[in-house]
Amino acid sequence: MHIGFVVNPIAGIGGKVGLKGSDDVEEALKRGGTPVAPAKAAEFCKFLDANVITCSSTMGADYIDGKIIYKTPKKTSADDTIKACRKFLKHGADLIVFVGGDGTARDVYNAVSKKVPILGIPAGVKMYSGVFAINVNKALEIVNAFMEGKAERVEREIMDIDEVAFRQDTLKIKLFGYALCPAIKNFLQNGKRIFGGENEAKRGIAKFMALICKEGTYVLGPGSTVKAIADEMGIEKTLLGVDIVENGKIIARDANEEEILKAIEGKRARIIVSPIGGEGFIFGRGNQQISSRVIEKVGIKNIIVVATPQKLMQTPFLYVDTGDRSLDKKFAGWISVIAGSGIAIRKRIVI
Amino acid sequence: MEERKILLEEEDMPDKWYNIQADIEIPPPLHPATLEPLKPEDMEPIFPKALIKQEMSKDRWIRIPEEVKEIYRIWRPTPLYRAIGLEKFLKTPAKIFYKWEGVSPPGSHKPNTSVAQAYYNAKEGVERLTTETGAGQWGSALAFACRFFGLKCTVYMVKCSYEQKPYRRILMQTWGAEVIPSPSDKTEFGRKVRQEMPSTAGSLGIAISEAIEDAIKHENTKYSLGSVLNHVVLHQTIIGLEMKKQFDMLDLKPDVICGCVGGGSNFSGGIFPFVPDKMKGEEIKFIAAEPMACPTLTKGIYAYDFGDTAQQTPLLKMHTLGHDFIPPAIHAGGLRYHGDAPLLCKLVDEGIVEARAYYQNEVFEAAKIFAQTEGFVVAPETAHGLKAAIDEAIRCRKKKEEKVICFVNSGHGHFDLAAYDLYNNGMLQDYEYPEELIREAIQRLPCI
């Protein structure tokens, strides 16, 4: 069992100095920023007892005794994370643990996609992705469980925002894909026992919702849970985009805001979305095409939220961020999330 | 000093069950193939004659055999408690009582009928009983009863409970029963379900189908059901009959009686002896409490439906969510049933009984309050009835009413501590029944 361990040494540098990421290191340093990653990496490594493959100096070996298979340059970049992870794969890593934020998660994902599970130790400025452990202790627990064969593999979102736009106060968050992520079985396993795993639950949701979607116009949000509904209907839906289905046929694929508005003009439509696991956003993260204008046109009561019980168990509350605060406020309260065939779970939307 | 326990002597134990069929009429069960009213002989492949007779009897009082009473005396009469600690905590002017059925060896009200059923089967030469169980309360009650009458016992246990609640399985095995997770490969129906849904959690409906198939296909084997049917409810009336005597001792009459409803037997057993009083004009409120995840009485339709998933049982006129509805695996496993006792449904339909549905978290909150004020840790099923009683007591506080509230405390929760653990850690999900979408989905199903 080999654990690949990589640190983005500058992760978190932009946080306290008012930058919304660490893409602009020069600016962060100028403002007196210090990275968060080294302390987190040290804390994690202090208690880790594993066969580790890692990088030299600041990207790994400064914190842990491991086999060094990637030489860290003086000035690191995203490219180094990607190259290091590729080397980990070549050396037969069973799991890659990284210290960083969303940008690092994306780099790791770009290098390994779903070949091995990945786990993030949160040290970034923003962490919208679902691959992060809650904290260092939890990360250790998960890694130990993984090594003992007591963890399961779940799909989690890789999300990131456009930092240039973000610094100008425009929040654009994109879903980049799904990574494999180890998760501890204890509570999850309960879910697994009951529902036969997340895929079984997804099938239940898909079967039930496919019956509903046979008639009418539906705006289908991104993500694998919603895609499963389209699959059940025999429709080819994009995984990461917003598609529109009418009376069982697809009428728009990967639609933007204007295209959605046009497609639902004068019709009674419904929106089907799934929250981001852990994070809990149902609007405003990865599905901004479904804008406040679209939501207002469709009406809140015509929104159907779907999610597996496993995902909901890890998601204490749901959130919306449509960019229109007065619209957001109308979501406050309980919502019935479809979690299986004829099964719902009520969750609270917190504003 | 306020009396905390109201106890009956063994000799005060009722010697007859009360048969509500003398006082209310329900539409007859129908044969699944002919749709004609069921004849006694139609039931003979699965039930002994004495129980079929009780199922159809209109006699108001049915004598409890001495042999049954002898076993009952192991734990009966059960105490009626005054919940003084809970009253104080709620600051209610109401008096809260509970009939504590958790003192039986299997820990619930279920042996009130399992002992009777085992007795009648043994008397007619039956050698083995088959049954299903959800949370394991019924299965353990039947395993216990069979042991005392020399019968073999085969229990089909809903798979998710079999895995979640190994202790009840061990209890059944300790009393000598064979326990099989359902769906199983022992029956044709079980094999079919496993093929179609390899990782299903199972359901009571599926387990009933398996147990019936086993009974029909084997000699000297009969089937035993732990709820829903008239004769089961009949045996449970000993709860309410004792309660009546105990309230008489206090010179009180309950204004409200609450209980949880899965198939309806403990609640019916508690309230039926009081129903004639209400029909005579006495003011008494009956509240049936059920889970939001399986809201049979509050959201189901009142119609003829099968009792099991495989459509082998007679059609019963009852509130139902549909015989193919598989409720989510909530921790009150015993309440995961798509239908309810026809006798109880009739009372709900006529407005004599009021039904309420609750979420898991609020139910466990009630259970925790009870544990911290009264000491007893109750079963998650039972806690639904408790929640209704607490709500009523709070209403009394607001309205300054000194009502007498009683709930049937049907069993202890010592085998359900994993669920309490989830609740204590904020990990319990509030399941519910998406009524409107289900209606839409049904409309779009192809007509058969």
Side-chain angles (χ1 to χ4, degrees):
Chain A
M1 173 82 60
H2 287 96
I3 310 285
F5 179 69
V6 60
V7 180
N8 170 6
I10 55 130
I13 196 169
K16 288 190 184 150
V17 293
L19 294 178
K20 283 152 188 165
S22 303
D23 286 6
D24 193 343
V25 182
E26 313 269 299
E27 179 62 29
L29 283 172
K30 216 163 45 187
R31 294 195 193 183
T34 48
V36 175
K40 293 275 171 112
E43 198 186 336
F44 176 75
C45 292
K46 204 159 105 188
F47 298 101
L48 181 70
D49 182 15
N51 204 348
V52 172
I53 47 179
T54 188
C55 318
S56 66
S57 69
T58 56
M59 281 178 70
D62 281 0
Y63 321 101
I64 197 155
D65 287 330
K67 189 175 173 194
I68 296 171
I69 57 169
Y70 183 77
K71 193 175 177 307
T72 306
K74 228 177 175 168
K75 194 179 166 207
T76 60
S77 72
D79 214 29
D80 293 299
T81 307
I82 296 172
K83 282 184 191 156
C85 288
R86 286 198 182 129
K87 285 221 161 172
F88 292 164
L89 279 186
K90 259 193 203 154
H91 277 75
D94 300 285
L95 168 72
I96 293 178
V97 180
F98 66 91
V99 184
D102 274 334
T104 323
R106 237 172 95 191
D107 297 334
V108 175
Y109 173 71
N110 281 341
V112 309
S113 67
K114 280 190 184 173
K115 287 185 194 113
V116 295
I118 66 175
L119 177 69
I121 292 169
V125 177
K126 59 206 155 42
M127 283 157 289
Y128 290 111
S129 302
V131 297
F132 293 99
I134 298 167
N135 53 40
V136 172
N137 281 338
K138 202 77 200 169
L140 278 164
E141 222 177 283
I142 294 172
V143 172
N144 287 332
F146 182 84
M147 291 193 294
E148 289 165 20
K150 288 180 184 160
E152 65 176 341
R153 289 149 199 244
V154 294
E155 278 187 353
R156 287 290 170 260
E157 295 89 349
I158 297 287
M159 315 278 296
D160 200 6
I161 63 172
D162 179 338
E163 293 194 7
V164 177
F166 198 28
R167 273 198 287 276
Q168 288 152 8
D169 277 335
T170 315
L171 189 67
K172 278 192 195 157
I173 294 171
K174 233 186 120 181
L175 172 62
F176 283 89
Y178 286 88
L180 280 182
C181 198
I184 287 186
K185 277 182 181 174
N186 53 11
F187 290 125
L188 264 178
Q189 191 191 20
N190 245 324
K192 182 168 175 142
R193 276 197 203 146
I194 295 166
F195 301 98
E198 201 155 14
N199 284 334
E200 188 80 10
K202 250 179 223 175
R203 262 199 297 280
I205 296 169
K207 255 178 118 171
F208 181 63
M209 289 307 301
L211 270 176
I212 310 257
C213 293
K214 266 187 181 171
E215 288 168 29
T217 308
Y218 292 83
V219 178
L220 303 181
S224 56
T225 312
V226 181
K227 186 175 185 299
I229 300 169
D231 291 348
E232 178 70 28
M233 297 170 73
I235 289 170
E236 211 172 295
K237 189 200 170 301
T238 61
L239 175 63
L240 307 177
V242 174
D243 298 7
I244 301 167
V245 167
E246 199 166 276
N247 298 328
K249 293 207 170 62
I250 202 139
I251 57 164
R253 223 178 236 117
D254 203 7
N256 62 28
E257 182 189 10
E258 290 306 321
E259 288 165 331
I260 299 170
L261 284 169
K262 217 176 116 194
I264 62 172
E265 181 63 46
K267 293 171 192 159
R268 181 182 171 264
R270 274 173 167 165
I271 296 171
I272 302 178
V273 284
S274 190
I276 295 173
E279 279 268 329
F281 277 95
I282 53 177
F283 288 113
R285 301 287 185 275
N287 59 6
Q288 277 150 320
Q289 309 90 307
I290 309 176
S291 64
S292 55
R293 283 164 69 204
V294 173
I295 293 167
E296 255 166 326
K297 192 146 245 173
V298 170
I300 291 178
K301 67 175 183 4
N302 291 319
I303 291 166
I304 300 173
V305 180
V306 296
T308 61
Q310 290 86 345
K311 194 197 238 184
L312 289 173
M313 204 177 254
Q314 297 175 326
T315 313
F317 297 105
L318 299 182
Y319 303 91
V320 291
D321 179 12
T322 64
D324 175 347
R325 283 304 285 168
S326 64
L327 176 63
D328 289 353
K329 279 183 188 151
K330 290 183 194 156
F331 278 91
W334 295 101
I335 189 167
S336 196
V337 179
I338 299 298
S341 183
I343 293 171
I345 291 174
R346 95 176 160 154
K347 292 299 265 192
R348 196 191 280 281
I349 300 182
V350 177
I351 302 300
Chain B
M1 192 180 67
E2 299 271 21
E3 220 172 339
R4 198 140 197 166
K5 290 193 296 299
I6 298 89
L7 300 170
L8 291 171
E9 297 294 332
E10 279 186 24
E11 69 218 38
D12 295 329
M13 192 164 74
D15 49 17
K16 295 184 192 81
W17 291 302
Y18 164 62
N19 181 17
I20 201 169
Q21 291 191 83
D23 295 308
I24 62 165
E25 192 147 347
I26 52 168
L30 304 180
H31 192 283
T34 63
L35 300 186
E36 291 292 321
L38 206 64
K39 291 193 277 297
E41 54 268 32
D42 294 330
M43 288 188 270
E44 279 173 18
I46 54 172
F47 294 128
K49 290 193 177 75
L51 290 178
I52 296 170
K53 200 175 153 205
Q54 289 181 358
E55 186 65 23
M56 302 191 149
S57 170
K58 302 274 179 203
D59 299 340
R60 184 166 286 113
W61 299 99
I62 292 173
R63 197 184 63 82
I64 305 175
E66 197 46 50
E67 294 86 339
V68 172
K69 281 174 75 178
E70 199 184 312
I71 310 294
Y72 275 178
R73 275 195 285 271
I74 295 175
W75 76 96
R76 297 211 79 88
T78 62
L80 179 75
Y81 271 83
R82 170 90 184 269
I84 295 170
L86 180 62
E87 286 171 17
K88 273 194 193 135
F89 174 83
L90 296 173
K91 298 190 179 72
T92 177
K95 289 188 173 73
I96 307 174
F97 291 88
Y98 57 94
K99 178 68 169 163
W100 183 218
E101 290 292 305
V103 286
S104 76
S108 77
H109 66 290
K110 293 285 187 185
N112 294 335
T113 184
S114 70
V115 171
Q117 292 192 42
Y119 164 76
Y120 289 116
N121 275 286
K123 207 175 155 201
E124 290 182 29
V126 173
E127 288 167 7
R128 182 171 72 103
L129 283 182
T130 69
T131 196
E132 74 292 329
T133 195
Q137 280 182 341
W138 168 242
S140 47
L142 192 68
F144 158 80
C146 284
R147 174 61 26 196
F148 281 84
F149 291 102
L151 293 169
K152 284 187 201 145
C153 182
T154 305
V155 182
Y156 290 86
M157 187 171 187
V158 176
K159 201 171 92 185
C160 66
S161 296
Y162 184 90
E163 288 166 1
Q164 272 179 359
K165 299 179 177 175
Y167 295 113
R168 284 206 190 276
R169 167 172 59 74
I170 298 163
L171 194 57
M172 288 183 259
Q173 288 162 338
T174 304
W175 277 316
E178 179 192 15
V179 189
I180 300 165
S182 165
S184 74
D185 55 8
K186 297 255 178 193
T187 66
E188 215 169 282
F189 183 67
R191 287 189 290 273
K192 190 174 151 238
V193 173
R194 279 167 64 124
Q195 208 166 26
E196 285 168 9
M197 299 182 283
S199 38
T200 175
S203 71
L204 272 181
I206 296 170
I208 292 173
S209 300
E210 288 206 278
I212 293 178
E213 186 186 321
D214 183 343
I216 291 172
K217 287 188 177 164
H218 294 93
E219 285 281 306
N220 290 331
T221 301
K222 300 267 186 216
Y223 165 74
S224 178
L225 188 68
S227 193
V228 180
L229 298 178
N230 304 341
H231 68 269
V232 180
V233 174
L234 170 79
H235 302 149
Q236 293 295 356
T237 57
I238 192 160
I239 301 174
L241 291 167
E242 283 183 4
M243 266 161 62
K244 273 201 126 170
K245 286 191 173 194
Q246 286 159 316
F247 276 113
D248 282 348
M249 285 165 72
L250 294 170
D251 211 10
L252 281 176
K253 277 186 191 302
D255 298 300
V256 184
I257 305 178
C258 314
C260 65
V261 173
S265 76
N266 94 80
F267 177 68
S268 300
I271 68 156
F272 280 6
F274 293 88
V275 168
D277 302 339
K278 179 157 181 163
M279 295 201 292
K280 276 181 220 140
E282 266 186 40
E283 260 190 53
I284 174 164
K285 186 149 88 172
F286 305 120
I287 305 171
E290 59 183 12
M292 273 286 187
C294 188
T296 315
L297 293 173
T298 50
K299 301 243 167 106
I301 50 165
Y302 185 49
Y304 272 106
D305 195 9
F306 296 99
D308 70 329
T309 311
Q311 311 179 9
Q312 297 182 92
T313 68
L315 287 146
L316 303 173
K317 180 87 183 269
M318 59 183 176
H319 286 80
T320 175
L321 299 170
H323 59 268
D324 52 2
F325 174 65
I326 300 182
I330 50 166
H331 290 277
L335 306 186
R336 294 177 69 232
Y337 185 62
H338 68 273
D340 268 321
L343 284 166
L344 173 60
C345 291
K346 175 79 177 171
L347 295 179
V348 171
D349 191 55
E350 289 190 354
I352 293 171
V353 169
E354 181 186 323
R356 290 182 196 164
Y358 295 106
Y359 288 105
Q360 279 201 112
N361 276 300
E362 55 187 359
V363 162
F364 272 90
E365 185 193 12
K368 196 163 177 175
I369 289 172
F370 193 74
Q372 294 184 349
T373 55
E374 289 294 312
F376 290 111
V377 173
V378 301
E381 290 84 353
T382 307
H384 286 71
L386 163 63
K387 164 70 181 159
I390 289 180
D391 281 359
E392 283 300 303
I394 292 172
R395 190 164 304 165
C396 286
R397 179 179 70 206
K398 288 178 184 159
K399 292 190 171 174
K400 299 195 170 59
E401 287 176 340
E402 291 180 30
K403 285 196 171 165
V404 175
I405 300 167
C406 183
F407 77 95
V408 183
N409 194 341
S410 56
H412 70 67
H414 297 177
F415 296 124
D416 301 285
L417 293 178
Y420 275 86
D421 191 36
L422 286 175
Y423 172 73
N424 289 339
N425 287 292
M427 298 294 288
L428 268 194
Q429 306 263 37
D430 273 338
Y431 284 98
E432 58 189 358
Y433 181 81
E435 190 183 6
E436 279 174 38
L437 287 178
I438 286 179
R439 290 239 163 99
E440 254 183 72
I442 291 169
Q443 278 170 14
R444 286 172 199 173
L445 273 174
C447 292
I448 304 158

